[in-house]
Amino acid sequence: MTSQTGSHPARPLPGRATSRATSLAGLIGFALLLVAAALLARAAAHLVPPAYWLDALRDPAPGQMATLLLRDALLPRFVVSLAAGAALGLSGTLFQQVLRNPLAEPGTLAVFSGAKLAVMAATLFAPVLLTFGPEGAALLGGLSSFGAVALLGARRGFAPLVLILGGLVVTFVCDGLAQALLLFHHEALTDVLVWQSGSLSQNSWEPALALSGVLALGALATIPLIRALTALELDENGAQSLGVAVAPLRLAALMLAVGLAVAVICAVGAIGFIGLAGPALARAAGAVTLRQRLWQAPLMAAALLALTDQLVQMLLGGAMPTGAVTAVLGAPLLLFLLRRVRAGHVAAPILAAAPPARGTGAWPLLLLAGGLAALTLVALGLGRAPGGWALVTGEDFTAMFHWRGPRVAGAAAAGALFAIAGQILQRATGNPLASPELLGVSAGAGLGLLAVLFLAPAVTPGLMLGATSLGAGAVLAIMVALARRASLAGESLLLAGVALTALLSAIGAVVLFTGDPRTIILLEWLSGSTYGVTLSQAAQAGGVLLAVLLALPLLRRWLEIVPLGRPLGRALGLGGSVSPLLLAVAAVATAAGTLMVGPLSFAGLMAPHMARLMGLNRPLPQAIAAALIGALLMVLADFLGRTLAFPWQMPAGLVASLIGGGYVLWLLWRRPA
């Protein structure tokens, strides 16, 4: 790993300016902490008058619920928020220093998702691992998921954007597997769901004392590493010339960072983005050296988490898990920090499709159409029953078609719509990894759906399609504007889209915790299930697909010219209104597909990529092939979800996201430096 793979501010000249900056950073942290303490005092005064606080702490009167709440709930919760925030701030600082990556933290590196998945799996299949608590399983899961991310990053020299994109995709895969376990074993995992929600609620001092002890041990273990970690700001040869054993140092620091994060998740669940915000705020306030960041970043993170938790208690009554709120606030922070990681920090594109052979032959299209027809017949006629596999024919087929027909048609239409949207986006941006899922367009459609559910007096299919189209179009317009201003590289745009998808998931989690009856629609949509698709819904998706297919011949010339760039496009007569029209078609296609199978399927990424690998490089044949491939993928995902885990069913969107997430990870792996 070389110094070119990260982003660090230049080392300042020693003197009074650095001292003032350091003082400012510390003052800001202490000021935030004082505000949080003031809010704590306000809440405590509502329970017990200040004159009786000491008596309540020393010997609460029997039967006095207010004094017990003060001593065993309110105060331990405040201490836990401080200890958890400081631990995550220290963990994030270590990750960022070792990996030379200002975006690194336990959440973006998949430590949290791996730990949660491991505890869920151990609860179901190896409860003996939980005999002494979840720490062992969580540590194993966190290390495994981070190890997978590190292996992906190592093949690209630990380039920051490669590492974070890999981390977020690993997070999607782990979360998908966790959701699959939850679908099959919801009752057995109820306690795990409460544990992983990120709630800081306490009923004793035990977790606070345990987490504070882990934090103290982590800080003590960091002290002897400071000098060697500072040398890592040089390149690898420079650090070794100073006598630093680079590989053992990295391993020790990363193990320490993972251990601190796992301790937090075992105590209070996943607290997203605090490990990113603490170091970022400390650096922005003037903490530029490692020694400064090692105490100011934990201070900032502790104050930020404590302040957020106090505001959650004051404004929401403490009913909302603080971890969900920090995730909502953290995704915009990630988008902001992306501007600091320029394209120059990545020596080559993260991913690129292999150069395809040019071709427009009809044989690939005929084979794909035949394959889709055969798979559709299998999906309609083949299923599992208590006695085993069963193939229905004749009148039984007609009767079963009433149940299977709409869901198969809806899945096929959604896959084709995602594929066409992905092909338009890839040609419009010149990026083979652009897709509705990775650019956040599906997330925008989800935000439009949320707006309709909570603002419209009556929800109709047409209104849902219109709102999701507007949401998808708005996000797409933002992404294109960012690209045109050249403030973000292509890889950063992908990561920004993934951050928007994470933001949607966090907002969805917050909304689900409200208990509003309208969240049932949101829950069904998030799962990507085709179980309840009606004939009218499938017909609506099919109608949108037909309109998009009819529009493709009219867009063919524009799709041919757009990849050549704006100057050459203008020279060839490409008008300024072309891009908005293409984006509108992609937005409507994404919205209609998202309503069928949820926000994350990766069909929009895989299908155009596979069409290019088949040698179809002209816009119209490529779009038709991509649509057929997308339909194939989603029909297959629906069939597998219906049959693999019989008598349970896995949502088609979930199955497709697991397949697609694995595909993205394979693409990351196959592109060596």
Side-chain angles (χ1 to χ4, degrees), residues 148-236:
V149 175
L151 285 176
L152 293 172
R155 291 177 65 84
R156 297 290 293 169
F158 291 96
L161 296 179
V162 177
L163 202 64
I164 302 303
L165 181 60
L168 294 178
V169 175
V170 170
T171 296
F172 284 149
V173 173
C174 289
D175 287 347
L177 293 173
Q179 187 177 352
L181 292 178
L182 181 62
L183 286 173
F184 301 143
H185 306 281
H186 186 273
E187 295 297 328
L189 295 174
T190 300
D191 292 340
V192 178
L193 286 179
V194 175
W195 162 77
Q196 72 174 25
S197 64
S199 174
L200 298 180
S201 298
Q202 301 295 312
N203 55 20
S204 73
W205 279 91
E206 183 178 350
L209 295 176
L211 192 54
S212 299
V214 171
L215 173 62
L217 291 175
L220 290 175
T222 303
I223 293 174
L225 302 178
I226 294 177
R227 186 179 182 87
L229 287 173
T230 303
L232 289 183
E233 295 179 1
L234 306 172
D235 59 25
E236 186 167 327

Side-chain angles (χ1 to χ4, degrees), residues 20-38 78 81-82 85-86 277-287 292-293 295-308:
R20 285 199 300 267
T22 302
S23 300
L24 175 62
L27 286 174
I28 292 175
F30 283 117
L32 293 175
L33 195 57
L34 286 176
V35 174
F78 186 71
S81 67
L82 293 176
L281 291 176
R283 188 180 290 110
Q292 294 167 355
R293 293 196 302 273
W295 71 269
Q296 292 172 22
L299 173 63
M300 287 282 193
L304 184 61
L305 182 56
L307 180 58
T308 303

Side-chain angles (χ1 to χ4, degrees), residues 427 555-564 617-619:
R427 296 190 75 89
L555 304 175
R556 179 177 57 183
R557 181 172 179 271
W558 296 339
L559 289 173
E560 191 84 65
I561 297 175
V562 162
L564 302 178
N617 221 29
R618 304 285 295 186

Side-chain angles (χ1 to χ4, degrees), residues 512-615:
L512 289 174
F513 266 95
T514 64
D516 192 293
R518 291 169 290 187
T519 59
I520 296 175
I521 299 176
L522 176 64
L523 189 60
E524 292 177 351
W525 172 77
L526 284 172
S527 68
S529 176
T530 56
Y531 180 79
V533 172
T534 63
L535 186 60
S536 62
Q537 291 173 332
Q540 182 188 40
V544 175
L545 174 60
L546 179 61
V548 170
L549 288 173
L550 291 176
L552 283 178
L554 303 177
L555 304 175
R556 179 177 57 183
R557 181 172 179 271
W558 296 339
L559 289 173
E560 191 84 65
I561 297 175
V562 162
L564 302 178
R566 296 182 69 188
L568 187 56
R570 287 175 179 172
L572 294 175
L574 195 65
S577 63
V578 172
S579 292
L581 181 59
L582 291 177
L583 299 183
V585 172
V588 172
T590 300
T594 299
L595 285 175
M596 287 289 101
V597 296
L600 197 64
S601 70
F602 289 107
L605 168 67
M606 293 187 291
H609 187 79
M610 292 178 176
R612 281 195 303 274
L613 294 178
M614 294 178 67

Side-chain angles (χ1 to χ4, degrees), residues 270-283:
I271 306 292
F273 292 105
I274 290 295
L276 179 69
L281 291 176
R283 188 180 290 110

Side-chain angles (χ1 to χ4, degrees), residues 633-663:
L633 290 171
M634 289 309 304
V635 172
L636 177 62
D638 180 69
F639 176 72
L640 293 177
R642 178 169 56 85
T643 58
L644 282 182
F646 181 85
W648 296 281
Q649 295 196 33
M650 294 178 63
L654 173 60
V655 176
S657 68
L658 291 175
I659 297 173
Y663 184 77

Side-chain angles (χ1 to χ4, degrees), residues 68-411:
L68 290 175
L69 287 175
L70 174 62
R71 189 189 72 171
D72 294 332
L74 197 63
L75 292 179
R77 178 168 181 156
F78 186 71
V79 174
V80 161
S81 67
L82 293 176
L88 291 176
L90 180 57
S91 176
T93 303
L94 291 172
F95 273 128
Q96 292 177 17
Q97 182 70 15
V98 174
L99 299 175
R100 303 184 60 81
N101 188 337
L103 303 178
E105 63 110 15
T108 58
L109 294 176
V111 176
F112 283 156
S113 60
K116 289 191 295 184
L117 177 60
V119 172
M120 294 176 73
T123 301
L124 295 174
F125 308 118
V128 67
L129 297 177
L130 306 178
T131 303
F132 300 103
E135 290 80 5
L139 181 60
L140 179 61
L143 286 172
S144 299
S145 57
F146 172 69
V149 175
L151 285 176
L152 293 172
R155 291 177 65 84
R156 297 290 293 169
F158 291 96
L161 296 179
V162 177
L163 202 64
I164 302 303
L165 181 60
L168 294 178
V169 175
V170 170
T171 296
F172 284 149
V173 173
C174 289
D175 287 347
L177 293 173
Q179 187 177 352
L181 292 178
L182 181 62
L183 286 173
F184 301 143
H185 306 281
H186 186 273
E187 295 297 328
L189 295 174
T190 300
D191 292 340
V192 178
L193 286 179
V194 175
W195 162 77
Q196 72 174 25
S197 64
S199 174
L200 298 180
S201 298
Q202 301 295 312
N203 55 20
S204 73
W205 279 91
E206 183 178 350
L209 295 176
L211 192 54
S212 299
V214 171
L215 173 62
L217 291 175
L220 290 175
T222 303
I223 293 174
L225 302 178
I226 294 177
R227 186 179 182 87
L229 287 173
T230 303
L232 289 183
E233 295 179 1
L234 306 172
D235 59 25
E236 186 167 327
N237 293 331
Q240 289 176 344
S241 67
L242 295 176
V244 175
V246 175
L249 173 65
R250 286 177 182 155
L251 180 61
L254 291 175
M255 288 285 289
L256 180 57
V258 172
L260 287 167
V262 167
V264 172
I265 195 174
C266 289
V268 295
I271 306 292
F273 292 105
I274 290 295
L276 179 69
L281 291 176
R283 188 180 290 110
V288 292
T289 68
L290 177 61
R291 290 182 181 273
Q292 294 167 355
R293 293 196 302 273
L294 281 175
W295 71 269
Q296 292 172 22
L299 173 63
M300 287 282 193
L304 184 61
L305 182 56
L307 180 58
T308 303
D309 187 52
Q310 292 301 316
L311 291 174
V312 167
Q313 293 181 75
M314 183 178 69
L315 300 177
L316 304 175
M320 188 72 63
T322 305
V325 177
T326 60
V328 172
L329 300 175
L333 174 64
L334 178 58
L335 293 175
F336 172 76
L337 292 177
L338 280 171
R339 298 174 63 89
R340 302 185 59 181
V341 184
R342 301 293 181 179
H345 295 301
V346 183
I350 290 177
L351 296 168
R358 292 184 175 272
T360 59
W363 280 110
L365 300 179
L366 293 175
L367 289 175
L368 288 173
L372 177 59
L375 180 60
T376 300
L377 289 176
V378 171
L380 292 173
L382 185 63
R384 291 181 66 179
W389 289 91
L391 180 64
V392 295
T393 56
E395 295 182 358
D396 292 336
F397 182 89
T398 304
M400 194 62 69
F401 182 83
H402 174 74
W403 302 101
R404 295 178 181 172
R407 63 183 296 171
V408 171

